[in-house]
Amino acid sequence: MCGIVGYIGNDYAVPILLSALERLEYRGYDSAGIAIIEGDKLVVEKKVGKIRELIRALWGKQYKSNIGIGHTRWATHGAPSEVNAHPHTDERGLFAVVHNGIVENYLELRKELEEKGHHFRSETDTEVIAHLIAEYYNGNLFDAVLKTVKRLKGAFAFAVITPLEKDKIIGVKKGSPLVVGLGKGENFLASDIPAILPYTRNTISLDDGEIAVLKRDSVEVYNFEGVPVSKEVFVVPWDILSAEKGGFKHFMLKEIFEQPKAIADTIGGFLSQDLTLPFDINRINRVITIACGTSYHAGLIGKYWLEKYTGIPNEVIYASEFRYADIPVDENTLILAISQSGETADTRFAALSAKEKGASVIGIVNVVGSSLDREADFTLYTHAGPEIGVAATKTFTAQLAILYLFAQLMARRRGLIDRDGFYRAVEKLNEVTRKVEKALELNGELENLASRYKKFKNFLYLGRWLNYPIALEGALKLKEISYIHAEGYPAGEMKHGPIALIDENMPVVILAPRDRVYEKIIANIEEVLSRKGRVITVGFEGDTVLKNKGEVFIGVPEVGEDFTPFVNVIPLQLLAYHIADQLGLDVDQPRNLAKTVTVE
Ligand code: G6P
């Protein structure tokens, strides 16, 4: 959801800014731009489209600047166009601003500034920031920024430079992510860690309400009152290779194949973490899971495990629906906030609002040091490494692993299982890692299947119980990256509506492992077949019943009934991937989407 970068040092700024932007491109890619201080002048270059358009535009210009800021945009206010692309400047071109988030009161501020004689060029909310800074500037950029932030409402992060003070970049965080990277004789600013990984692993995560002043040899952090704040340096555990494609055609494919490792590392991480919770677990009589997108689907599966092993009721609610509903929450409620990035605005704000009402919050996040990580009372980490592909894959199965382990932990803490029971459950999950590895051998089969089915315009995905959320996830993957309409549905609900859609042009992917609902799903398969639907079944290898039904049978390794989501999601991820790839689509950066959605 827009990416911001900044560089100040002794190297040429432009190549560093462009490379950092490319690593942030998964956050948005409608347009991109940079601002640098070249000699005594502010130079702004921007282009509609992906970063490569900007790179082309800058080809041969040989800027020598050592300081600059950059931006890749996911449009909120104003269509993708050159004029709406960032950086934005004030009228005299003295202050350049890149911004992520939304200034909610921008119309009011714009009117006020227009009355004072300011002329605006773009339709964006960002431009008011540049004009406000110019309005307040009285020979001290920091003071002008302090005055400006007090006027802005909403959740945002921005960076500003000016040729009037060539020795600094100022970065501000309130609601949207912003990380400082510490180098030797150089410092960096970015919305997310992968942007700066080639240069440094030493970082400072800014908290909401903080301002960083980056100079070549120093970084100082202040609060919005201008009072210095001392910050800890966090050394990022990821290396640069983990954020590279490593020979795979796309990040998404690489990440699909990294799932056995992601699950194994997550189990290892969980077992080595101090799991002393800062609240009394026996007090909890209700769990509410809040999440968005793929994380929400993981939460739906976690509910079945938690209720099965602990008996504690667990609702799962889209974070965007939770926040403005009157859902009863009190100090006996536990909120499980699941977010790969830890920055999704809907999830964070829902968690914070529940916390205000007295609930305890456990975050399940992949990005250590992210906002949710810091805002939650306790965090459980998925150790999936950086996920760059916009469509979540390895973080999904890693989230499943954490949710399964969490259910076992709760059962153990409540005396429902003994120590051995807990470790037996862990061992079973460990074995699943190998089954997932085996399921990945289906890659070639799914590639062939994709070429056969890519021409269809609609897909239905059906599953029951633990595999209903997998049907939702399979459909989401296809929609996200292939732009093919797909619906996930509980197989038993099909007869109440979606069955009317079925004809010979409707591929129906049906998840049918041999579990407690197997007989029921076989009946649902018959319902689809008798209406000429094109049935693709996913079931355990060697299932002769399924082999004789439908057009295609995909055999996944047999696992215990708790674990079918882990192996069933693999062919669905691969199917979506290969269809999108064969259709020539941009798998890692699908249109209109962003990896981290920091607006509500
Ligand atoms: C975006 C991404 C999805 C992701 C969702 C939630 O929509 O494109 O892949 O599942 O956000 O993200 P989170 O970081 O909170 O898990």
Side-chain angles (χ1 to χ4, degrees), residues 483-510:
Y483 318 145
I484 293 173
H485 172 245
E487 271 194 68
Y489 233 79
E493 239 337 85
M494 186 188 56
K495 54 188 175 290
H496 300 292
I499 200 162
L501 295 168
I502 293 173
D503 62 16
E504 63 282 5
N505 292 317
M506 178 68 90
V508 186
V509 181
I510 306 182

Side-chain angles (χ1 to χ4, degrees), residues 56-75:
R56 265 187 216 131
L58 288 166
W59 198 251
K61 292 203 172 167
Q62 297 182 345
Y63 289 122
K64 295 193 172 50
S65 164
N66 310 117
I67 168 174
I69 52 178
H71 189 267
T72 179
R73 180 168 187 244
W74 188 88

Side-chain angles (χ1 to χ4, degrees), residues 291-296 338-344 347 387 389-392 395 399 476-477 480 593-597:
C292 305
T294 293
S295 299
Y296 170 77
I338 311 175
S339 173
Q340 180 284 126
S341 59
E343 298 295 350
T344 301
T347 310
E387 189 176 66
V390 165
T395 53
Q399 286 166 348
L476 178 64
K477 289 288 88 93
E480 280 181 310
L593 296 179
K595 180 87 186 146
T596 310
V597 182

Side-chain angles (χ1 to χ4, degrees), residues 106-321:
Y106 82 103
L107 282 173
E108 189 186 301
L109 292 170
R110 183 169 170 145
K111 190 162 167 271
E112 174 189 319
L113 287 158
E114 278 172 344
E115 279 164 12
K116 288 193 171 141
H118 289 253
H119 294 99
F120 283 77
R121 281 176 289 241
S122 75
E123 303 154 80
T124 65
D125 51 338
T126 309
E127 201 180 339
V128 297
I129 304 177
H131 285 259
L132 270 178
I133 293 173
E135 177 69 24
Y136 289 130
Y137 189 76
N138 203 357
N140 186 321
L141 182 62
F142 183 70
D143 285 348
V145 170
L146 271 186
K147 288 194 178 107
T148 299
V149 293
K150 296 211 173 82
R151 303 292 318 278
L152 305 176
K153 291 194 181 132
F156 51 80
F158 70 84
V160 54
I161 53 170
T162 174
L164 302 175
E165 297 181 32
K166 296 194 281 188
D167 62 335
K168 63 178 74 90
I169 302 176
I170 295 190
V172 173
K173 170 173 158 63
K174 188 190 158 222
S176 300
L178 201 56
V179 176
V180 176
L182 305 169
K184 284 207 175 78
E186 57 183 6
N187 289 305
F188 307 80
L189 201 58
S191 297
D192 208 349
I193 292 162
I196 50 178
L197 268 186
Y199 311 103
T200 179
R201 284 163 68 177
N202 296 329
T203 63
I204 292 174
S205 287
L206 296 181
D207 284 303
D208 286 344
E210 289 182 347
I211 303 178
V213 180
L214 281 75
K215 297 188 175 170
R216 265 174 201 90
D217 296 306
S218 69
V219 173
E220 280 158 6
V221 180
Y222 302 85
N223 65 19
F224 280 8
E225 300 310 315
V227 179
V229 181
S230 84
K231 302 289 291 181
E232 272 178 36
V233 176
F234 171 68
V235 182
V236 180
W238 302 340
D239 62 17
I240 182 61
L241 282 179
S242 61
E244 305 278 359
K245 277 191 209 151
F248 284 89
K249 187 171 177 192
H250 294 102
F251 278 112
M252 183 180 176
L253 190 61
K254 177 188 173 236
E255 288 158 4
I256 289 174
F257 273 85
E258 281 174 343
Q259 288 179 102
K261 183 174 176 342
I263 300 168
D265 289 353
T266 298
I267 300 170
F270 183 87
L271 294 179
S272 56
Q273 190 178 345
D274 176 359
L275 295 168
T276 317
L277 300 175
F279 51 86
D280 177 13
I281 204 79
N282 290 309
R283 200 184 71 200
I284 302 301
N285 59 17
R286 183 167 179 232
V287 176
I288 302 179
T289 303
I290 48 175
C292 305
T294 293
S295 299
Y296 170 77
H297 297 155
L300 288 175
I301 296 168
K303 164 193 164 74
Y304 294 114
W305 290 325
L306 196 74
E307 291 182 343
K308 174 176 170 179
Y309 289 104
T310 69
I312 308 170
N314 181 185
E315 290 153 81
V316 187
I317 306 177
Y318 280 121
S320 53
E321 289 298 311

